Structure formats: structure tokens, C-alpha cells
Amino acid sequence: MIEMTSAADRRRADEILTSARTLCEPALRAAIGSLPEPLRTMGGYHFGWCDADGASTTADSGKALRPALTLGAAVACGAPARAAIDAAAATELVHNFTLLHDDVMDGDRNRRGRPAVWAVWGVADAILLGDAMHALAVRTLVGGLPAAVAAAAVAHLEQTVIEMCRGQHEDCRLGASGRADVDEYGRMAMAKTGSLMGCACALGALCAGADTATVARMTTFGRELGMAFQFVDDVMGIWGDPNVTGKPAGDLARRTMSLPVVAALSSDGIAASELAAMYDARPGESPMDTERAAALVESAGGRRRTLRAAQDRVEAAIAALADPSSAADLVALAHLVSCRDR
Amino acid sequence: MIEMTSAADRRRADEILTSARTLCEPALRAAIGSLPEPLRTMGGYHFGWCDADGASTTADSGKALRPALTLGAAVACGAPARAAIDAAAATELVHNFTLLHDDVMDGDRNRRGRPAVWAVWGVADAILLGDAMHALAVRTLVGGLPAAVAAAAVAHLEQTVIEMCRGQHEDCRLGASGRADVDEYGRMAMAKTGSLMGCACALGALCAGADTATVARMTTFGRELGMAFQFVDDVMGIWGDPNVTGKPAGDLARRTMSLPVVAALSSDGIAASELAAMYDARPGESPMDTERAAALVESAGGRRRTLRAAQDRVEAAIAALADPSSAADLVALAHLVSCRDR
């Protein structure tokens, strides 16, 4: 990936993520634990706390990047991290509600190295668990904050959910049409991924009692970082090591419209033409030669342009901070996003 | 249906529903109008305001029973109806978000006499529109109320959404298992239908600044009424006139587990045995002889017991009101529910 951080920076960022997971897990477990059965078991399964029969286990719960952003934003705005724990849990619940629904829509059978909830319990229960987790997010936010802060935070969160719905709609449409330009792709990625990271930071700032201008700066930081995150994700979807990422690098086999492909297709030259022909072939007709396709994306500049765009977004994120020196955790997370390999 | 109201009572109840629709429609249109395209057009289509291409039309928007309950509860608690308009719109948005998702889960291709959203735009967009409408409901509630009231109202609404998710899960399970007892069916109906009507009344009371005991009484009124509503719906699902209800009386053809059937199957006697055999046959093997099945449900006492249960629930609802004479609109709605034919 992009190399711009030292091993020490990277350790620091990993510590921040671990700390965010540790701080938020009780709130998340309390929220999921309040669900009626069988939603409670399904929710515990989704978060990696139990298997499908409800027996305790310790599977992957996700990176906790969004909670770390919420806590980091609160600290950068002068509050202790604990002031934003409920808000951090709420953003993680929204993230996971959208994962549950996206997996149904996209037909993705696996999530964090295990069968997705819909693949275990069926589409109806996965939709219902997502709906319930959306409700839990709002309840957690309202339950944990003073009323005036809660109202602003809930309004921000729900506006974000609506933006994410638009983003997922556009993602489905791009996938079906087989064509997108770089700008369209960017708008989709901002709505689908940038918006919730922006909201995660905004909620942290709101919990710290920040003023409107500061909340807006934090939102921009998170949105830009979310774009960088998505672009690095796109690179890993083609060239990532499945043993490290925990998911197959199957974007080309699935003919996914990710930024490296969109950027490559939008270039001139023979590599773009050959790649377009491969993407235009019907999936049933001929399986994608993914090694050849990856080489074409690379030679058409798709990888280079995507990593450049990710780095630009990280720089834009850091530039949005009023005083990066007082936001050390956020800066460390920003650098981690751009050099991560999982 | 049950005859217990005069034509004048019935006209009064129809006026209450029409008035609720008129009062809430601007808030609903503003909420849906704030969605990004294409969710805005899909939402307008779902509410009967436009066709699938966005051209204005005037199709069925639904009865507006839940908004009428919210407004009626506010008035019964001493507030003007306008104090509860946003809360009424929020309950209607939640109701419609669950309809959108239920139609996907149940594979119901029609809604209010037109193709369901998923049948027009596909499953993914119907899930996304439902998610967005859930978000809109919360935003509308928070945007329209003082912060402290909003926090209590949002917590109540989201607890209700979670209960509805459990109810829909149980409904799907009963349908798949082909067996339920009357108590199980009652728990499902309370979670799926009673809970939101209880919440509709609770929100009206909260908007009027009612105390906890009054909010609890209003909740009970709405929950009991919701049960009556569901039971009458079940009778119409077998014996209703499609020209009046706007939907086919196809519960028997679909082998739906509704209260008349559950009650009939739980009775002793030859009619119950024959009905059980008909329900046990695989759908593909032999289409249901619906006239024969309806006669069996009736002779096993299923219709009589269901209408009796509906009437009991209406009486329990009215008994929950501290002073029915100051809640004339709610009482009129209660009587309408028990004698409605659509």
C-alpha cells in the first residue's frame, strides 16, 4: 500500500483501534443483549461473540475504525473519550446494520471470514436484524447523551443513513450498468463510505460540546478519510493478500466497478480497450482472467491513480483539522488508513 | 363484521381519518420530498402520490389510522392536534417502512392495489427505501419536538421498531411451520401490529406533555386496539370483499396462519381435522379449496372466536382510558376498527 508511516506510528494506530474496541464493547454488548431472541443470538453471531447456536466464541468483530474516529474526535475537541462511548457504539451499530443489508442486496455470502447472517438464517431475518440494529443505534445515542446533544446527534446520524442508502443504490446501479466515470464513482463512495466516517467524527465533536464550525471541520476530516479508506479498500480488492485481509481479492472476478477499474477504463490506450472488452463479456460466457485483468488495470494506471487519490484524501483530511497537533489520534488513524493492508 | 356502531358513529370516524390524513400529508410530503432521487420518487409512488415515472397521481395512501391515533391521543390529553403532527407523520413513516420490508420478506407483489415497490424497482431498492423511511421517521420526530420530549419519543419509537422486528420474525416462522397456538399467535400480533398502535398513542400523549401514567394508559389503549385491528383484518383476509378491501381475500389460498385458522385448528372435532389435513398438504401438490376451507374454519368456530376476541380487545382498549368521555375521537376510532370492512 502507500508507505508513509513508520512502524511506531503503525503500532500507535493499532493501539488506538484496540482501545476503541475495548471501550465500546460493553455498550455494544449491552445494546445487542437487550434484543429479544432470536435477534440477540443473530446479533452476537454477527459481531463475532458467539456461533450460530449461541455458544461463546471470539471471531472477528471488525476493525472498529468508526468508533475510534468518534472517540478520537471527542478527545481532539477537549473531552475525555468516555464522553463519546455511546456515540461511538451508535456509529458502529449503524455501520453493522448497513453491512447486514448490503450483504443481502449484494448476495455476499461471507462477512469477516464467516457465513453472513442471511446465509445462516435467511434474507428475512437479516433484514430484520439490520432494522433492529438501526433502532438500537438511535436508542443508544438518545439514551447516552443530554437531550439537546442527542437531538443534534440523531438528526446528523439519520441524515447520514439516508445518504448511505443513496450511495448503496448507486453502487448497485454502477455494478449492474458496467460503466461509471471517476466523478460518479467518487460521489457514490462519498455517500456510501465517506458519509458515515464523517458522521462518526461529527458525533464525537458533538459529545464534546464543540461549536458548529468545529463539528463541520470534523465532518470534513471524516468524510475525506472515508474516501481514502474506500480507495485503499478498492486496491486491496484486487491486489490484497486474502490471508491478511480476511476476504478474497475477488473484485475482478466479480467484475466489480472499483476505482482502479473505473480509472483504468477512463484512460486512453490499448490496455483500457482490452479491459473494457473483458468487463463487457457476460459472466456466464467466460470467467474473468483475473491475473490478466489486474495487469491491464495496472498498466492503464488504475492502481497508481487510486493510491494517489487516497493519499490526496488523507492530506485533505488532515488539512481540515484546525490544529493537527491536538488531534494526534486522528492523524495516526489517517495514516493507518492509507498504509493499511487489512 | 361486528355491528356495534351506528351510521353516524361511522361517518364521524371516517371524518377523523380524513382529517388526520389532511393534517399529516404536508409533513409526510416534506419528509419524502427531502430524500435524494430516486428514493424520493419511489417514496412518492409508495404513498400513492405519483406513478413509477414520477407523474402525479392520486392512488390509495392508506387509512392513516396510526396518525389519527396519535392526534386523537394528543387531543385526549388536552393538547391541540397540531402539537402532534410531526409525531403522527413519524408513526406513519415507521408503518410504511415496515410495509416496504414486509412485502419483500413475504413476497407480496401488491400493496394498496398497485405493484409493491420491490416488484417495480427490485428488492435492493425496496430495502433501501425502507431504511431511508425509518431514518426519516426519527428525523421528523426529532425535528418537530422540544429536545426532552423528542428523546422520550424516539426511545419509545425505536423500542417499538425492535418489537415489530420480533413480531415479523415470528409471523414468518408461524407461516413456515404451519402450526401455532392461539397464545403464540396473540404474542405475534401484539408485537407486529399492537405495538405500533400503542406507540402511536404514546407519542400523542408525550407531545401533549402527559405524565407517565397517562402515557402508559394511552399505550395500552393503542396496543389493545391494534390487536382488535389485526383480528378484524384476519377475518377480512378470509371473508372480506376484495372490491371493498382493495386486496384479495387470499389468506386461505396462501395457507396463512391467521387467528380464525389458528382458533379453528385448536378446536376439537371433525372440521378441525379436515382443515388440518388441507393445511398440511404441500402447496404444489394440491391448490387449496378455499370455499371448503372457509366453511370448515367457520364451522370449527374460528370466525366467531376471532370476532369475539376483537370485541373483547376493543372493550379492553376503551377500559384503559381514564375518561372515555374526554377521548371521543379515540372511542370513535375504536368502534370503527371493530366494524370496519376495509
Side-chain angles (χ1 to χ4, degrees), chain A residues 35-39 42 97 101 104-105 124-125 127-128 131-132 134-136 138-139 142 147-148 151 154-155 158-159 161-162 165-166 168-169 172, chain B residues 35-39 42 97 101 104-105 124-125 127-128 131-132 134-136 138-139 142 147-148 151 154-155 158-159 161-162 165-166 168-169 172:
Chain A
L35 288 175
E37 286 292 5
L39 297 172
M42 293 175 200
F97 126 59
H101 284 187
V104 167
M105 294 178 227
D125 281 334
I127 296 175
L128 291 169
D131 290 341
H134 182 181
L136 279 180
V138 174
R139 228 185 49 183
V142 166
V154 166
E158 294 297 37
Q159 188 56 41
V161 168
I162 291 167
C165 289
R166 172 173 69 78
Q168 171 66 6
H169 165 84
C172 292
Chain B
L35 289 174
E37 287 291 7
L39 297 171
M42 294 175 200
F97 126 58
H101 284 186
V104 167
M105 293 179 227
D125 280 334
I127 295 175
L128 291 170
D131 291 342
H134 182 182
L136 278 180
V138 175
R139 230 186 47 183
V142 166
V154 165
E158 294 297 39
Q159 188 56 39
V161 168
I162 291 167
C165 289
R166 173 173 68 79
Q168 171 66 5
H169 165 85
C172 293

Side-chain angles (χ1 to χ4, degrees), chain A residues 279-302:
Chain A
Y279 258 70
D280 284 343
R282 294 192 190 186
E285 268 170 27
S286 56
M288 182 73 94
D289 176 349
T290 56
E291 280 192 40
R292 177 70 188 152
L296 290 169
V297 173
E298 181 128 27
S299 80

Side-chain angles (χ1 to χ4, degrees), chain B residues 65-66 69 189-198 201 219-233 310 313-314 317 334 337 340:
Chain B
L65 177 56
R66 291 157 194 82
L69 290 172
M190 181 60 93
K192 190 172 165 170
T193 308
S195 62
L196 186 58
M197 298 219 188
C201 294
T219 304
T220 302
F221 170 83
R223 289 174 77 93
E224 295 294 330
L225 192 63
M227 294 290 269
F229 180 90
Q230 183 60 56
F231 297 163
V232 174
D233 216 56
R313 293 292 185 159
V314 167
V337 159
R340 73 201 171 95

Side-chain angles (χ1 to χ4, degrees), chain A residues 6-17 19 328-329 332-333:
Chain A
S6 69
D9 288 343
R10 180 160 194 145
R11 261 198 313 279
R12 174 77 194 116
D14 281 338
E15 281 166 18
I16 294 167
L17 290 174
S19 163
D329 285 2
L333 289 171

